[in-house]
Amino acid sequence: MKFLAAAAALAVATAAPALAVAAPAKPAASKRIVLPADVRPDRYDITIRPDAANLKFSGVAKIDVTVLKPTDRIVLNAADLAFGKVGLAGRDAAPKIVLDDQQQTAAFVFDKPLTPGKYTLSIDYTGKIYQQASGLFALDYEDADGTKHRALFTQFENSDARRFAPMWDEPGVKSVFSLSVEAPAGQMAVSNMPGTEQDAGGRHLVRFADSPKMSSYLLFLALGDFERIHKQVGKTDVGVIVRKGDAARGEFALDAAVKLLPYYEDWFGTPYPLPKLDLVAGPGNSQFFAAMENWGAIFYFDYALLIDPKLSTEADKQNVFIVVAHEMAHQWFGDLVTMAWWDDLWLNEGFASWMENKATDHFHPEWKVWLSTQAGQQSAMRLDSRAGTHPVIADIPDVFAAANAFDAITYQKGQAVIRMLETYVGEDAFRAGVQAYIKDHAYRNAVSGDLWNALGKVAPSKKVVDVAHDFLLQPGVPLIRAKEVGSGVVLTQERFGVDASQRKPQTWRTPVAVQAANGQWQELVSATAPKTVPAQAPVVINAGQTGYLRSAYSPDLWAKLTPDFPKLSAADQLGLLYDSRALGEAGLAPMSDFLALAKNTPADADPVVVDALSGQLGALDWLYDGRSGQAAYRTFARARLAPVAARLGWDSKAGESDNAAVTRRTVLSQLGELGDAATVAEARRRFDAWLNDPSTLTGAQRRTVLSIVAANADPATWEAIHEKAKASKDATDRARLYAYLGSSADPALADRTLALALSGEPQPTEVPGLIAAVSGMFPDKAYDFAIANRAKLEEFLEPTSRITYFAGLGDGSRDPAMLDKLARLKATVPASTRGEVEKAEAAVRYRLGVIKDRVPEMDRWLSANGG
């Protein structure tokens, strides 16, 4: 699943010295709430009869089971299902049905115990079709001529297959699935396997071939007015399925999939095992995810799969390729081999996040994706240095707590640790270990130790298991300090933490790359084992930025390094920018270190470096919140970005890189948010021309102008964008236009947007995004509105992500009152799901500290050095 990270928090972490500590142990598991293991499902035969118009369906499930030991009941998962006839082959008496709505289970209790053996359980039932992405759900859209349509899709991760059919809805229970659906004539039905059409008493029935053994959350069904484009790749029929008329917009994704499939087959050393692989597009949005790796039938929201030359940007193109790469990597890591329980979710998501970058860099090195991915790693480090963090391998007591694991720790830290380990072990050895792991666990479940054991066998001289355990079984970020000594540079380790929960002494065996004028070194550094290297300044710590760590230089080393900043690699420039800001906000280094680097970053630096600098300057601006020093700070920030904007201009240039085009949009949009008068004026001029002639703006130009104008909107501008949103027939464009309404800095327009969100005008999947857009400028206003309308808003939210959504609205607050509000929210949710609220509390608490202690420091430096 391609997780949608919340907006990046605006403050980073601080640190405290670490002392010698014991190596980490795997967290003790709470008493895990799972289904009884005395009955095993072997094969499901499920028939679905949708009633899309009335948002309901009926189903029949025939489940072949093996009773492993005597029991009087069969217990499985079910949520929002109503049961009709239930029977067990060989038993005349119907079982008693006992429902547990809290744990989402159904127990079928028999009058006499079942003896071990094979049985078939038959269940008639009915269920709901939702209007948000959970279970079987509907997405509505209009053709260009205004004709309305409704398409059906499924989304089951992490625990919503139980809303589609009664089943063992746990990742560690793999079974064969046979699915059939009664489809309206003329509509296409799609599932994991190829289907055949049959006439069933006058009804149009599509029966799909049996799936391989797989986990329940990977089952998929789609039904609608679709068309399919496809190409044969070896033995696999690769297709992209879109709404009728959208075929041309799917060509880029199809081309990506055709390239990626043989690459993955070669890299994993295992052929793709299914006869077909479909990429299925659906209109709308989720507040939680962009795409889902259903085996053989990957679902994507339109914006993550389709490219429209009139609307899409260079960044959209890159994103589509990356998301396709992510989900296709799951076909091996996640689908063929699946984690045994949600505590090892990182085995799926961390690996796919790493593999998406490796594959993308292979085919598009010009995009420099390893540089761009550092931004995601920073999000993980910010979260990982505050209260509310968790180990990558965390205790997950139940499926409801699993939602807490879909975060930057699992995805971005997970992929960062994998990249660090690949660098430490070596590419060839790492790949050989992964191939052995895939072969040994195909069609089965695995735990983290299985992967580390495989890597340890191919790299016996490396401390693979030790390093992996240190970074995966305990939370936190190591801080590597570098200090010049007579024999070279000594490297020591501390812990980077911003509050009491993160100041407990801790150690990691950390691979550290050092680069200096006289050579390169790689050392394993820990709190108990400092290392000295014969490096001569200037010295770069974490050279190449492949380690998951913060770097801190002694004043002497910093003074010798910074004059060479323009000569450093783009990766190391990024590392210095990110670390200097983090250390400065944490009080471990002067804020002037970051500000001076920002001032001296060349306007012709690599586009990814400029892009990151722009984001960092915008994040610091958020801390001011109208304070007296904001004008001086904005003058400083605009002076950094204006030369870049002047060099790039507003219009694309022949021969420029995709990354330059991405940076143009980022820099101009940031200047607009910083109130740059010339930028805002030019955006308004182009916006007015677009209102008269929509052909004047396309792609990135259109998005750039709209973002600037919307951020500085007056009521007339807001209404003009509103009219465009209502008129748009493209689901992705419509959702973006509605979101622009929430980005205005005018509080009155924020109130209008919030009222609009629940007015019934936006599509159901657009509602959460509208409120979230307001939270970008007015987190307290958006949070208060959402809580005041919580019951109504929850109808538009996916059940497993509701707490994450509410907490995320308040995450960016600069008001101490938000802490009391979040505490009240936390008291209303089960203990196992409070982690998301605690993350938000920690973000707000730390931001308030940075505003109090670091903003005045910035003001003093700007007074002396700004401009």
Side-chain angles (χ1 to χ4, degrees), residues 21 80 97 118 159 255 291 325 374 424 498 530 670-671 693 722-723 818 825:
V21 295
D80 281 351
I97 303 173
K118 301 286 188 179
S159 55
D255 180 67
Q374 285 194 40
Y424 174 59
V498 307
Q670 190 63 70
L671 283 168
D693 180 3
H722 183 204
E723 290 300 318
M818 179 57 69
L825 172 65

Side-chain angles (χ1 to χ4, degrees), residues 599 636 860-867:
K599 187 172 184 177
F636 170 81
R860 291 190 293 270
W861 186 88
L862 289 167
S863 178
N865 302 278

Side-chain angles (χ1 to χ4, degrees), residues 449-471:
D450 296 323
L451 177 60
W452 305 134
N453 289 336
L455 289 172
K457 289 178 181 178
V458 297
S461 65
K462 300 287 188 177
K463 297 182 178 180
V464 177
V465 175
D466 294 340
V467 174
H469 283 180
D470 286 353
F471 280 87

Side-chain angles (χ1 to χ4, degrees), residues 479-485 487-494 508 510-516 520-535 539-543 549-554 557:
L479 172 66
I480 302 298
R481 287 191 177 275
K483 181 179 180 181
E484 204 165 14
V485 295
S487 56
V489 173
V490 62
L491 306 174
T492 59
Q493 185 189 91
E494 302 173 6
W508 297 259
T510 308
V512 181
V514 179
Q515 182 171 313
Q520 299 178 342
W521 298 264
Q522 187 183 72
E523 299 289 346
L524 208 59
V525 182
S526 72
T528 57
K531 295 292 173 64
T532 300
V533 295
V539 174
V540 176
I541 308 303
N542 195 19
L549 57 98
R550 292 279 184 213
S551 301
Y553 299 83
S554 65
L557 282 177

Side-chain angles (χ1 to χ4, degrees), residues 210-370:
D210 282 11
S211 76
K213 262 183 103 169
M214 66 183 190
S215 301
S216 58
Y217 74 90
L218 298 172
L219 183 63
F220 180 75
L221 174 67
L223 184 63
D225 295 314
F226 303 143
E227 62 178 306
R228 184 175 188 262
I229 55 175
H230 64 109
K231 292 181 181 179
Q232 192 72 25
V233 181
K235 296 180 179 180
T236 307
D237 182 12
V238 179
V240 171
I241 294 174
V242 298
R243 296 180 303 286
K244 288 180 179 176
D246 273 350
R249 298 203 298 160
E251 291 287 354
F252 180 82
L254 178 60
D255 180 67
V258 166
K259 292 176 180 176
L260 286 162
L261 185 62
Y263 173 81
Y264 281 151
E265 288 184 320
D266 177 66
W267 199 93
F268 286 111
T270 298
Y272 175 75
L274 276 63
K276 63 96 174 173
L277 174 62
D278 283 326
L279 283 58
V280 184
N285 297 272
S286 163
Q287 67 275 6
F288 181 52
F289 74 102
M292 175 61 205
E293 66 267 19
N294 315 293
W295 209 359
I298 306 171
F299 174 77
Y300 299 79
F301 285 107
D302 282 359
Y303 68 86
L305 190 69
L306 306 183
I307 294 296
D308 185 332
K310 294 181 180 179
L311 300 173
S312 301
T313 68
E314 291 79 3
D316 292 331
K317 230 168 62 172
Q318 293 180 4
N319 182 64
V320 166
F321 194 97
I322 288 169
V323 178
V324 169
H326 179 102
E327 302 305 334
M328 286 183 63
H330 273 308
Q331 305 300 292
W332 287 264
F333 240 96
D335 296 1
L336 182 61
V337 182
T338 311
M339 76 264 162
W341 182 247
W342 299 108
D343 54 354
D344 274 320
L345 175 65
W346 86 278
L347 273 176
N348 287 15
E349 300 300 350
F351 195 94
S353 297
W354 171 78
M355 198 70 203
E356 74 185 36
N357 295 319
K358 191 170 188 68
T360 300
D361 188 59
H362 174 82
F363 288 105
H364 290 286
E366 75 279 8
W367 290 349
K368 301 181 181 180
V369 68
W370 286 119

